[in-house]
């Protein structure tokens, strides 16, 4: 506790989760209740933590499901079409529909966002347990890096401690980056597809 106080370790954990979110976000979503003839709706979430909108379903609950395409509001065919766009600045704070909804309809927005930063030891963690090793490796990297920075404040030319800490800091960072690459390689969305021959004729769609 005296070498690495909880406040320092918690700071590293938060930094690790923020960096991890650059590679793996968490999917979430919510429903928006429509008002008749109102096409602009504010978000109930902080859009600053949202990485991307995955899908927008409108009206919610159709069979089959009906999804809107994102289309710029400056386009002349936006209004009246099955489109949506994000408006209100950077980051955006509202969504605009191309169609005019009716009372009782709902919009379903699914999005990818940053992982939750814990505020206490009792906070829930949105990073999956199978990814905890990356969080630990990031914290180890920061610990060695801090030792390196402390040694660099008053370097001793008679020993090689600073040089060794620099090497170990670089090694710890590479271990973390390698683990991220390992996760990305095992969780890719897809890969190469072999030839596909259809009955009667070979066509590509």
């Amino acid at each position: 506790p005296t070498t690495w106080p909880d406040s320092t370790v918690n700071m590293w954990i938060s930094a690790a989760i923020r960096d991890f979110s650059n590679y793996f976000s968490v999917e979430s979503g919510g429903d928006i209740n429509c008002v008749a003839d109102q096409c602009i709706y504010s978000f109930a979430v902080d859009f600053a933590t949202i990485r991307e909108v995955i899908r927008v379903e409108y009206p919610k609950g159709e069979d089959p499901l009906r999804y809107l395409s994102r289309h710029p509001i400056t386009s002349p065919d936006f209004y009246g079409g099955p489109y949506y766009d994000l408006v209100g600045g950077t980051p955006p704070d509202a969504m605009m529909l191309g169609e005019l909804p009716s009372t009782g309809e709902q919009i379903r927005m699914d999005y990818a966002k940053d992982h939750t930063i814990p505020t206490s030891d009792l906070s829930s963690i949105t990073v999956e347990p199978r990814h905890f090793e990356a969080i630990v490796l990031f914290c180890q990297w920061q610990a060695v890096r801090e030792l390196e920075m402390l040694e660099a404040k008053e370097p001793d030319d008679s020993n090689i401690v600073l040089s060794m800490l620099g090497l170990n800091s670089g090694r710890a960072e590479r271990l973390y980056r390698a683990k991220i690459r390992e996760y990305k390689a095992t969780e890719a969305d897809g890969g190469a597809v072999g030839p596909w021959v259809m009955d009667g004729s070979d066509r590509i769609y």
Side-chain angles (χ1 to χ4, degrees):
T2 56
T3 305
W4 309 122
D6 281 353
S7 58
T8 299
V9 176
N10 289 338
M11 178 180 64
W12 292 340
I13 293 174
S14 297
I17 293 175
R18 290 190 185 94
D19 191 77
F20 186 80
S21 294
N22 291 325
Y23 307 99
F24 300 97
S25 52
V26 59
E27 186 171 333
S28 187
D31 299 334
I32 302 173
N33 295 321
C34 296
V35 177
D37 297 333
Q38 178 180 317
C39 60
I40 297 180
Y41 293 89
S42 299
F43 299 120
V45 296
D46 179 10
F47 212 86
T49 65
I50 294 180
R51 295 275 170 170
E52 64 172 333
V53 174
I54 300 173
R55 65 187 72 88
V56 174
E57 178 188 350
Y58 169 78
K60 179 186 174 182
E62 291 288 289
D63 186 15
L65 299 178
R66 183 175 186 263
Y67 295 104
L68 304 182
S69 300
R70 185 172 181 181
H71 201 56
I73 60 175
T74 54
S75 177
D77 60 346
F78 176 85
Y79 300 95
Y83 307 120
Y84 78 93
D85 200 7
L86 304 179
V87 296
T90 304
D93 54 19
M95 172 192 296
M96 185 170 184
L97 301 181
E99 301 169 316
L100 292 177
S102 301
T103 300
E105 292 181 331
Q106 286 186 316
I107 306 165
R108 172 68 185 185
M109 184 176 73
D110 296 315
Y111 50 84
K113 67 173 186 176
D114 290 349
H115 287 275
T116 302
I117 304 299
T119 56
S120 73
D121 291 342
L122 299 179
S123 298
S124 60
I125 304 296
T126 55
V127 177
E128 297 184 25
R130 59 198 174 98
H131 291 153
F132 282 178
E133 187 177 357
I135 305 302
V136 173
L137 288 173
F138 185 96
C139 293
Q140 290 176 348
W141 166 31
Q142 296 307 304
V144 180
R145 186 181 181 187
E146 180 167 303
L147 290 175
E148 179 188 6
M149 293 299 100
L150 291 174
E151 180 67 22
K153 290 172 61 177
E154 297 180 4
D156 184 353
D157 294 336
S158 64
N159 61 50
I160 60 171
V161 173
L162 181 58
S163 177
M164 293 302 298
L165 286 172
L167 290 174
N168 289 333
S169 176
R171 184 179 295 113
E173 179 182 5
R174 289 192 295 273
L175 287 173
Y176 169 70
R177 303 298 179 194
K179 181 58 63 176
I180 293 295
R181 290 194 296 271
E182 176 186 320
Y183 289 157
K184 291 179 71 68
T186 57
E187 300 188 17
D189 291 333
V193 178
W196 176 24
V197 179
M198 294 183 60
D199 294 336
S201 60
D202 188 7
R203 295 185 179 180
I204 297 177
Y205 290 87

